[in-house]
Amino acid sequence: MKRLIGITMGTLSAFCAFALDVVAHRGESSLAPENTLDSLALAWKNGAKYVEGDFHMNNEGEILCIHSTRELKSLWNIEKKDKDLTLDEAKKSNLKNHKRWAKKYPNARIPTIEEVFKIIPKDSVLVLEVKTFRDGYVEKVEALRKENNLSYDNILLISFNDKAIAEFKEKYPQYKALWLYSMKKSPNGDIIPTAQEAIEICKKIKADGVDVGNMASSRVPKLTKEYVGQFKKEGLAFWVWTEDDLGSIPFYKELGVDGVTTNKSSKMLKRLKKDS
């Protein structure tokens, strides 16, 4: 496995020796409860260099690792909007009523961003998805990065919120960031947005590339080498989400995709190693 020396524009693939980076979606989410310290740590332990988590800033100004209101209900039995979840509620969260995870992960709870930062391995990366974005989000992340002696290379930002990426890049351009969007199909079958439209947004917000989904959905047009190639010509990284089909690996390699986000990171890493 090659060791990362530094993530620079156009070289986000340097983390992996297989020419296709694997991003663990909400940690090792097929083997542990998603977005918990258990899931994130397990993904790093199993060999993933890039591990993704979702982070909302709540009404108190705390940043908590949780994906959505649906996740709060289905996993933690908390009926609240994600942005309204308090720090106290996160600390008291538990899986005692969850059929799948209660016995195996009795101590799991919703972590804070501080707790996640403390477990990032030295040569690995937290793919930090910025969800609910408020004033102070950027400054809090930067302060905690320093407090935990993390380098900018230990954190890769992703977000659907172009304003969030723009503010991070304006205040702390050392962070690398990818703009998230979902592909849609036009009436004639073309991809929306066009590559050029997405590239222009990247340039405007100073993103280092894109993270495009949902690859597993039959409702989106088929990704093409030409589409991906337009980003690569501009020196922009191209990642996709969320893909659990191990048989898709040759397809993404052929297209020149840099990274694939998956719920089965350990299995995809093994498949890549076997095929290399």
Side-chain angles (χ1 to χ4, degrees):
M1 184 69 70
K2 297 178 181 177
R3 182 175 180 179
L4 181 72
I5 295 184
I7 302 175
T8 56
M9 184 178 293
T11 62
L12 286 169
S13 293
F15 244 118
C16 186
F18 309 125
L20 185 68
D21 287 321
V22 173
V23 185
H25 188 227
R26 306 174 195 170
E28 193 72 275
S29 52
S30 66
L31 302 176
E34 62 187 51
N35 278 321
T36 61
L37 296 179
D38 303 276
S39 182
L40 302 175
L42 184 59
W44 278 310
K45 180 181 178 181
N46 286 349
K49 290 294 183 179
Y50 291 99
V51 176
E52 184 261 358
D54 304 291
F55 295 87
H56 291 267
M57 178 174 268
N58 69 6
N59 298 328
E60 303 168 319
E62 298 288 344
I63 301 179
L64 303 173
C65 187
I66 189 75
H67 177 260
S68 64
T69 299
R70 176 183 290 182
E71 184 182 289
L72 275 177
K73 173 61 179 176
S74 63
L75 196 59
W76 304 102
N77 198 32
I78 297 175
E79 296 194 38
K80 270 197 153 186
K81 291 184 177 180
D82 40 59
K83 65 181 180 179
D84 295 329
L85 181 71
T86 68
L87 177 60
D88 184 60
E89 288 169 329
K91 289 182 176 180
K92 292 178 180 178
S93 60
N94 62 75
L95 297 170
K96 65 181 181 181
N97 294 315
H98 198 277
K99 292 182 180 179
R100 182 180 182 186
W101 302 124
K103 291 183 178 180
K104 191 171 182 179
Y105 295 99
N107 298 317
R109 60 182 175 80
I110 299 168
T112 64
I113 195 171
E114 294 97 320
E115 291 170 324
V116 174
F117 276 14
K118 290 182 185 302
I119 68 167
I120 301 175
K122 182 180 179 181
D123 297 322
S124 299
V125 172
L126 171 69
V127 180
L128 192 165
E129 182 172 348
V130 180
K131 302 294 278 187
T132 303
F133 183 69
R134 304 171 185 266
D135 290 341
Y137 196 117
V138 173
E139 290 76 12
K140 190 173 184 70
V141 169
E142 174 62 7
L144 290 170
R145 181 195 67 79
K146 290 180 178 179
E147 288 177 18
N148 288 280
N149 297 313
L150 296 171
S151 73
Y152 287 107
D153 291 336
N154 287 127
I155 300 169
L156 174 63
L157 305 165
I158 62 173
S159 186
F160 289 98
N161 189 330
D162 56 344
K163 293 181 180 178
I165 291 178
E167 186 172 330
F168 265 104
K169 297 296 280 187
E170 179 183 1
K171 294 181 177 178
Y172 303 102
Q174 301 95 322
Y175 283 105
K176 299 304 175 184
L178 305 180
W179 177 51
L180 281 167
Y181 66 89
S182 296
M183 290 197 313
K184 297 180 180 180
K185 187 183 295 185
S186 70
N188 63 0
D190 292 333
I191 297 173
I192 299 174
T194 66
Q196 194 54 45
E197 288 170 339
I199 288 168
E200 288 303 314
I201 292 175
C202 285
K203 289 180 178 180
K204 181 179 179 180
I205 65 178
K206 295 183 170 57
D208 299 288
V210 294
D211 194 355
V212 181
N214 187 320
M215 297 300 103
S217 174
S218 61
R219 292 172 295 180
V220 300
K222 189 174 182 179
L223 196 60
T224 66
K225 193 170 185 177
E226 179 185 5
Y227 189 86
V228 176
Q230 292 182 65
F231 292 85
K232 307 307 283 294
K233 287 179 182 178
E234 295 290 338
L236 296 170
F238 197 101
W239 284 14
V240 298
W241 55 268
T242 302
E243 181 62 79
D244 293 339
D245 179 7
L246 303 184
S248 67
I249 291 173
F251 172 68
Y252 291 123
K253 280 187 173 183
E254 173 63 23
L255 295 188
V257 167
D258 297 298
V260 176
T261 300
T262 178
N263 294 303
K264 300 178 179 180
S265 59
S266 59
K267 289 183 178 181
M268 189 167 284
L269 284 166
K270 288 179 182 178
R271 177 65 177 267
L272 281 166
K273 187 176 182 178
K274 179 181 178 180
D275 293 346
S276 64

